[in-house]
């Protein structure tokens, strides 16, 4: 009986009713001002409030997600037996000369040029508020440079880039620092060990509930797609020591950000060669996001683009889901992979056995994503 199950929901409803009945029945018997009676009344009130809060949380989890499908989700247990190699297709470890080495004590990595002002943020992240010259959209952009960026031996090296996209509701902080995904902690051991070449990470705001565009240009909501694929990309190239080659750029997102990551790669292959999704939503797109305009939705749908865009985009796609995720359903990824393969676009999907639509599941899938990407970039 998991937290998303109907039996448990009704159990919490019964607990609320039982607490209410107990309060009504016992309150007159605890009417005096003696310490025991005062404590008894307080206990009844607290018990009722706790039961009501628990019931409300269970109903919200069930109706809006469900996000926490099992108790393992709630307490952050492992998603199951899946290695980075199994979920990524493996890839050779890089020799130190390719992986780069750490540069302890060196200057903090940051912009090497350009006019955009960045402020220190969290760990090796810097942040800025950036208004795109083409889109007119303003949003937060956070940039991480790996320790290898500071190595004098790499002073002329142009690093590959992964653009990271959060879910909705959500903010950039989900990826940064001590946030739920804590991506710096996930990737630095990979960079140091040679399992992956070091990447510069760009966390870009995709909007929120009130201005969700699924990373597209939507009248009345702004040109978020142009901002991400053109403005932000150009700004990062102009301010950091990164490669402008689309073969060295990838997108990775979770939930709505996962849908965006695949869509951006398929729609803008001139900007991104790889798209990676963790628990992405329906890749057909959400008509409500596009003000009911189904034609506009289709033109910004990864599914529609793969089925109709000629020639097929020169990209590769990676999708990860969980069998227990009832929001980012496995069938969404299966449908997308089928459409991609029919279009001649390389696409792979993997399913872990456990985990709901929560960051506790997604965080453990960051390593497989980077190992897959590293293998693809090394082989290209």
């Amino acid at each position: 009986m998991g937290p998303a199950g109907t039996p448990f929901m009704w159990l919490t409803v019964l607990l609320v009713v039982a607490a209410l009945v107990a309060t009504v029945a016992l309150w007159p018997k605890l009417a005096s001002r003696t310490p025991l009676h005062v404590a008894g009344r307080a206990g009844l009130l607290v018990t009722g409030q706790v039961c009501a809060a628990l019931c409300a949380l269970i109903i919200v989890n069930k109706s809006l997600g469900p996000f926490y499908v099992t108790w393992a989700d709630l307490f952050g247990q492992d998603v199951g037996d899946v290695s980075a190699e199994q979920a990524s297709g493996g890839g050779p470890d890089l020799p130190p000369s390719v992986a780069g080495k750490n540069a302890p004590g060196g200057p903090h990595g940051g912009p090497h040029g350009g006019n955009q002002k960045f402020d220190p943020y969290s760990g090796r992240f810097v942040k800025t508020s950036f208004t795109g010259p083409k889109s007119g959209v303003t949003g937060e952009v956070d940039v991480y440079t790996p320790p290898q960026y500071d190595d004098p031996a790499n002073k002329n090296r142009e690093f590959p880039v992964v653009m990271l996209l959060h879910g909705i509701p959500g903010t950039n902080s989900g990826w940064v620092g001590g946030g739920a995904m804590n991506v710096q902690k996930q990737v630095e051991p990979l960079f140091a060990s040679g399992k992956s070449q070091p990447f510069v990470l760009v966390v870009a705001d995709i909007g929120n509930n009130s201005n969700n565009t699924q990373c597209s240009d939507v009248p009345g909501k702004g040109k978020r797609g142009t901002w991400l694929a053109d403005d932000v990309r150009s700004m990062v190239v102009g301010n950091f020591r990164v490669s402008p080659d689309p073969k060295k750029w990838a997108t990775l997102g979770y939930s709505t950000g996962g849908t965006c990551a695949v869509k951006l790669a398929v729609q803008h292959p001139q900007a991104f060669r790889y798209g990676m999704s963790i628990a992405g939503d329906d890749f057909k797109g959400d008509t409500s996001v596009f003000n009911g305009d189904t034609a506009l939705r289709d033109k910004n749908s990864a599914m529609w683009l793969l089925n109709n865009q000629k020639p097929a985009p020169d990209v590769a796609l990676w999708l990860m889901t969980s069998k227990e995720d009832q929001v980012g359903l496995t069938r969404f990824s299966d449908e997308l992979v089928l459409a991609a393969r029919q279009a001649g676009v390389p696409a792979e999907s993997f399913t872990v056995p456990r985990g709901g639509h929560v960051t506790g599941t997604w965080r453990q899938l960051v390593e497989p994503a980077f190992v897959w990407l590293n293998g693809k970039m090394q082989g290209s």
Side-chain angles (χ1 to χ4, degrees):
M1 189 163 55
T6 300
F8 187 72
M9 181 189 72
W10 283 113
L11 176 60
T12 62
V13 171
L14 290 174
L15 286 175
V16 172
V17 173
L20 179 62
V21 170
T23 300
V24 172
L26 296 177
W27 196 269
K29 300 179 181 180
L30 301 172
S32 74
R33 296 185 178 181
T34 64
L36 184 61
H37 281 195
V38 171
R41 294 197 299 272
L44 289 173
L45 292 175
V46 170
T47 300
Q49 292 295 319
V50 169
C51 290
L54 176 63
C55 182
L57 289 172
I58 293 301
I59 291 173
V60 168
N61 177 62
K62 182 175 176 61
S63 60
L64 296 184
F67 302 107
Y68 297 95
V69 178
T70 68
W71 297 111
D73 291 341
L74 193 59
F75 295 106
Q77 296 178 22
D78 194 86
V79 299
D81 298 326
V82 57
S83 69
E85 288 71 23
Q86 289 172 326
S88 65
D93 289 353
L94 299 173
S97 60
V98 177
K101 59 184 179 180
N102 292 314
H108 186 282
H112 76 280
N115 299 318
Q116 188 68 23
K117 182 181 182 297
F118 286 81
D119 296 315
Y121 187 19
S122 174
R124 295 187 60 85
F125 275 96
V126 293
K127 71 184 299 182
T128 189
S129 178
F130 172 62
T131 300
K134 291 187 176 181
S135 66
V137 170
T138 299
E140 179 182 325
V141 180
D142 309 319
V143 180
Y144 161 90
T145 53
Q148 294 82 2
Y149 190 91
D150 298 332
D151 188 342
N154 293 325
K155 65 179 181 179
N156 296 317
R157 179 179 180 179
E158 292 184 334
F159 284 77
V161 181
V162 178
M163 182 177 286
L164 302 173
L165 308 170
H166 61 76
I168 292 180
T171 65
N172 285 12
S173 62
W175 283 108
V176 178
M181 297 297 282
N182 198 355
V183 69
Q184 179 172 339
K185 182 179 179 181
Q186 310 302 319
V187 299
E188 287 192 345
L190 302 177
F191 301 162
S193 67
K195 284 188 174 182
S196 171
Q197 63 186 305
F199 287 86
V200 167
L201 309 180
V202 177
V203 186
D205 183 19
I206 70 169
N208 223 303
N209 288 330
S210 62
N211 61 347
N212 179 17
T213 67
Q214 291 191 332
C215 303
S216 306
D217 293 355
V218 179
K221 292 186 177 182
K223 297 181 177 180
R224 186 73 59 170
T226 298
W227 186 74
L228 292 164
D230 197 330
D231 289 335
V232 172
R233 190 183 188 282
S234 297
M235 182 271 287
V236 172
V237 169
N239 285 269
F240 291 84
R241 209 166 59 248
V242 300
S243 174
D245 187 346
K247 294 180 181 179
K248 299 299 181 182
W249 278 73
T251 54
L252 170 63
Y254 57 82
S255 192
T256 302
T259 308
C260 283
V262 169
K263 195 274 295 196
L264 286 170
V266 171
Q267 190 176 40
H268 301 281
Q270 80 285 357
F272 309 104
R273 184 56 52 90
Y274 306 98
M276 300 176 288
S277 168
I278 297 175
D281 302 330
D282 193 344
F283 295 97
K284 297 184 182 72
D286 182 352
T287 306
S288 66
V289 167
F290 299 94
N291 304 317
D293 188 336
T294 55
L296 183 60
R297 179 207 62 189
D298 288 346
K299 292 178 181 179
N300 288 278
S301 156
M303 286 287 291
W304 189 91
L305 291 168
L306 287 168
N307 287 327
N308 294 276
Q309 187 170 266
K310 306 298 181 187
D314 184 13
V315 296
L317 307 174
W318 178 94
L319 300 95
M320 176 70 81
T321 55
S322 164
K323 288 182 179 179
E324 295 179 334
D325 190 338
Q326 298 179 38
V327 179
L329 298 174
T330 301
R331 68 176 176 85
F332 294 157
S333 294
D334 291 343
E335 291 169 353
L336 191 284
V337 168
L338 178 61
R341 290 176 176 173
Q342 288 176 341
V345 173
E348 302 172 57
S349 65
F350 299 89
T351 304
V352 294
R354 295 192 296 276
H357 201 71
V358 291
T359 53
T361 302
W362 307 331
R363 185 170 52 247
Q364 299 174 63
L365 305 178
V366 171
E367 178 182 347
F370 275 84
V371 173
W372 176 87
L373 177 62
N374 179 71
K376 289 295 181 182
M377 281 194 179
Q378 291 301 114
S380 64

